[in-house]
Amino acid sequence: MVTIKKLEHNKFLPKVATPEQIKCSFFSFQGINTPIYYLANQSLINDTPFVDLSVTLEEEQSLLDTLLLAQWEERMWKGGFRYDVTASEIKIINGRKKFLAQLNEKWSADPFIFNCVSHDEELLFCVASSEKANSELVPLAAVPNGAILIIINATPVEYGHVFLIPCGSDRLYMDAISFEMILRAAVEINNYSFRLFYDCSSPVTSHPYFQACYFPDHLPVELMAIDTFFSGGQRGIHVSTVINYPIKTLLFEYTHNTKMVMEVISEICSYLREKHIPHNLLISGCGKKIFLFLQKLANSCNLSAWECSGYFLFQTKHEFDQVTEEAMLKCLSTVSLDDEGFQAVKQLCRSIASKLAI
């Protein structure tokens, strides 16, 4: 159950961050007030199987989903983005994998890297944990330590594109606590169109962050067959290999608490960082499915999480018109981790999941 307080005021204007604002591993949000969405105390529901809210509340949109879309659309109406992403042309690439291509001539591939200046004008709201039994929206309050900042992306890939950044941490990687908070937010949003992406292309990165968008249809990797090689019994965690996909991919599914599954993911990602194995995450299915893409260390740029998922952006009409499934299969398979490395990661996953699922 969610406690709703009337959202009466929002002081932020649509001023966006640019790729030139760079190279600082933390944000300073002291003295900034913003809407805060407090998640219910997770310990109260950790061992309870998830209820499929999409079935029990068919037409009722969650408060967190409503808040995110309302804030994002307000920025869109006020000209806070460099282009209207809803006008971009999208097509299915001919072939068996049903890869998706978007024509977006104004999109910039430059990464969003954070500086030390307060970004309060790009901040939509924050998500934070609480000790209360019910989730709660506070209209205006100071940013609490440990919150997840929801910030607009000036060059969106899809509708509702935002950054999710842990606040108050100077780590160069996403820790288990931040992972869990972001996963809980996805569960709370409870919208099957909402998907989260995480890229770790090198052992040393800027301040870690997720990105999120709303996609009207399934991404290609979500439609692939799977082969489950670990089932966690009463703890409800399952780990599978995605079959016949050009980039080595694992799928983690769970039916109980977010804490356990994110401990598994966090430990695996820690191993991958130590071994300098680039990797990406896709969170879908209202937070209940987590895809792990495994790339080999290369001198050239690694693929993004949405590219690994089968969604590709093109900045010229010629490239968009000429793209083929064969070219996209080669693009993905060229960067994929080799068979030997993949088997080692699978064995590690089995070992970690077995240890934590007891």
Side-chain angles (χ1 to χ4, degrees):
M1 180 177 179
V2 174
T3 302
I4 302 177
K5 291 187 177 181
K6 186 177 179 181
L7 188 61
E8 297 177 340
H9 176 66
N10 186 349
K11 74 182 184 69
F12 302 118
L13 298 175
K15 182 179 179 182
V16 297
T18 65
E20 288 73 28
Q21 298 173 318
I22 59 172
K23 294 183 181 177
C24 182
S25 62
F26 62 90
F27 272 145
S28 174
F29 278 88
Q30 293 182 351
I32 294 175
N33 291 325
T34 186
I36 309 291
Y37 188 93
Y38 285 100
L39 297 168
N41 189 336
Q42 179 71 355
S43 64
L44 299 176
I45 58 173
N46 259 350
D47 293 320
T48 304
F50 288 118
V51 176
D52 191 345
L53 297 178
S54 63
V55 174
T56 59
L57 305 174
E58 292 181 357
E59 298 182 0
E60 184 177 345
Q61 186 179 23
S62 74
L63 177 59
L64 185 54
D65 192 38
T66 301
L67 175 64
L68 195 160
L69 289 174
Q71 296 283 72
W72 193 88
E73 288 178 354
E74 180 188 42
R75 300 308 196 276
M76 180 175 68
W77 295 332
K78 291 183 177 179
F81 305 104
R82 298 179 189 171
Y83 49 81
D84 179 8
V85 72
T86 64
S88 299
E89 183 180 355
I90 299 173
K91 71 176 183 180
I92 298 175
I93 300 173
N94 289 332
R96 301 178 65 180
K97 304 298 184 186
K98 306 301 181 184
F99 292 135
L100 297 168
Q102 179 191 125
L103 175 61
N104 191 331
E105 296 173 323
K106 297 181 180 179
W107 177 71
S108 172
D110 295 329
F112 185 93
I113 309 174
F114 311 108
N115 69 357
C116 296
V117 178
S118 169
H119 289 251
D120 59 302
E121 293 177 343
E122 301 99 33
L123 180 63
L124 300 183
F125 61 94
C126 292
V127 176
S129 59
S130 76
E131 296 302 317
K132 295 185 178 181
N134 298 321
S135 297
E136 178 184 42
L137 175 60
V138 176
L140 211 60
V143 175
N145 189 38
I148 301 297
L149 312 174
I150 312 298
I151 292 177
I152 62 172
N153 185 341
T155 57
V157 167
E158 252 294 356
Y159 187 80
H161 194 164
V162 293
F163 295 106
L164 295 90
I165 308 109
C167 180
S169 172
D170 59 358
R171 297 192 179 199
L172 298 178
Y173 57 88
M174 192 72 66
D175 58 23
I177 295 175
S178 298
F179 264 138
E180 183 189 356
M181 280 281 292
I182 288 173
L183 190 62
R184 288 176 58 196
V187 173
E188 190 100 355
I189 285 174
N190 192 47
N191 187 326
Y192 277 96
S193 296
F194 184 75
R195 292 170 177 85
L196 287 149
F197 303 94
Y198 177 68
D199 297 315
C200 186
S201 59
S202 67
V204 178
T205 62
S206 64
H207 191 109
Y209 59 91
F210 269 81
Q211 300 187 64
C213 301
Y214 287 80
F215 291 85
D217 301 307
H218 285 99
L219 294 175
V221 71
E222 297 173 307
L223 301 174
M224 301 300 298
I226 60 172
D227 177 27
T228 300
F229 62 87
F230 176 84
S231 294
Q234 293 182 348
R235 301 297 287 176
I237 185 170
H238 308 278
V239 188
S240 307
T241 301
V242 177
I243 301 173
N244 296 325
Y245 199 64
I247 186 170
K248 297 293 191 299
T249 307
L250 296 175
L251 170 62
F252 298 81
E253 300 174 278
Y254 65 105
T255 57
H256 285 63
N257 67 72
T258 58
K259 183 176 179 62
M260 184 191 68
V261 72
M262 289 323 298
E263 286 178 353
V264 173
I265 297 291
S266 181
E267 191 165 337
I268 292 168
C269 289
S270 178
Y271 166 85
L272 295 174
R273 286 194 304 271
E274 291 175 0
K275 298 298 182 181
H276 297 178
I277 299 175
H279 54 283
N280 317 74
L281 295 174
L282 161 67
I283 299 177
S284 65
C286 294
K288 302 179 187 71
K289 293 186 176 183
I290 305 165
F291 292 85
L292 173 62
F293 305 103
L294 299 157
Q295 303 188 47
K296 63 184 178 183
L297 188 61
N299 294 325
S300 58
C301 294
N302 295 100
L303 297 182
S304 67
W306 52 75
E307 289 172 320
C308 292
S309 303
Y311 192 93
F312 300 90
L313 274 72
F314 297 90
Q315 293 181 280
T316 70
K317 180 67 172 174
H318 176 76
E319 290 178 321
F320 179 77
D321 290 339
Q322 298 300 314
V323 63
T324 64
E325 181 180 79
E326 182 181 6
M328 296 300 94
L329 288 170
K330 182 178 180 181
C331 176
L332 291 167
S333 60
T334 298
V335 303
S336 178
L337 186 65
D338 58 34
D339 291 339
E340 182 180 357
F342 187 50
Q343 290 303 317
V345 174
K346 285 178 62 177
Q347 182 57 44
L348 175 71
C349 290
R350 185 183 289 109
S351 174
I352 294 173
S354 298
K355 177 182 65 176
L356 295 177
I358 296 176

